[in-house]
Amino acid sequence: MMNSSGVAVLTRGLTVVRGGRTVLRGLDFTVLSGRITGLLGPSGCGKSTLMRAVVGTQAEVTGTLEVLGRPAGDAGLRSRIGYVTQAPSVYDDLTVRQNLDYFASVLLPGRARQDAREEYVARAVADVDLTSHADSLAGRLSGGQRSRVSLAVALLGTPEVLVLDEPTVGLDPVLRRDLWDLFHRLADDRGATILVSSHVMDEAERCHRLMLMRDGEILAEDTPDDLRARTRTETVEAAFLHLVDEADALQEDAR
Ligand SMILES: Nc1ncnc2c1ncn2[C@@H]1O[C@H](COP(=O)(O)OP(=O)(O)OP(=O)(O)O)[C@@H](O)[C@H]1O
Ligand SMILES: [Mg+2]
């Protein structure tokens, strides 16, 4: 499953304009295969926009953006990428299992026979720990449970790249831990590449690599250990603040 080059996503000069404003400014970065990369930064810095660009749903994208060696949005990538948006998108009047059956029939047309599809669905439901709620209506689930149904949809068909936009928002500490354990199983055991956003800095420690963003730019791209060492700080949060101050000082000097 590992991409031979070891690089799942590669950008050069990635720029995105939204509503007439440049919200991503000439980004150069790589996302390594089989690793969990955390995308962190304050609200509005461009995390969701970057993810939309990677999955190919964002308009007005310029520069180079390759996913698994193909241009983002290429039809051949569709079944190889799983994407969970910030707002869970499930049908409230269907049960958890019916939601997944439906998405399985859309996402895996002809690729899997009925019995194989049922297996995919059962595994995805178990992965997100909703087996005991499989026959509950999605509309009757809690916010955290609904977002896990969305995650299960993204896991159908075992995509090589998972793009997860703030998947742990609103979850209690136990569920957050369980989800991070699942992300590690997917990356470490199944070789999946995971790009996951968060604005909670303590989740950064669970990522293999981090991209720290601010104002449409990437301040740093490194492992949590190297980030702390480089900035001589104890936590990723302190490292982030250090980098923000450094960037501001540079900008002052340039004036
Ligand atoms: N539909 C839109 N039209 C125009 N501008 C938008 C639109 N959606 C977002 N933006 C702008 O793009 C910028 C980046 O937004 P984005 O949603 O990518 O941020 P984010 O880092 O995901 O924030 P959050 O943590 O709140 O989810 C923001 O300045 C926002 O105002
Ligand atoms: Mg967002």
Side-chain angles (χ1 to χ4, degrees), residues 18-19 21 23 41-50 86 166 199:
R18 290 187 95 167
R21 274 185 52 230
V23 297
S43 182
C45 72
K47 302 181 295 296
S48 296
T49 305
L50 186 153
Q86 216 165 338
E166 308 215 16
H199 53 246

Side-chain angles (χ1 to χ4, degrees), residues 93-106:
D93 53 341
L94 299 182
T95 67
V96 170
R97 200 194 316 275
Q98 286 166 340
N99 263 288
L100 287 164
D101 282 341
Y102 168 72
F103 285 107
S105 67
V106 175

Side-chain angles (χ1 to χ4, degrees), residues 6 26 28 73 112 118 121 127 156 161 166 183 192 209 211-212 238 243 250-251:
D28 297 339
E118 278 168 21
V121 167
D127 277 343
L156 287 169
V161 177
E166 308 215 16
F183 300 159
R209 298 185 60 79
M211 289 202 284
L212 301 186
L243 291 164
L250 272 177
Q251 225 170 36

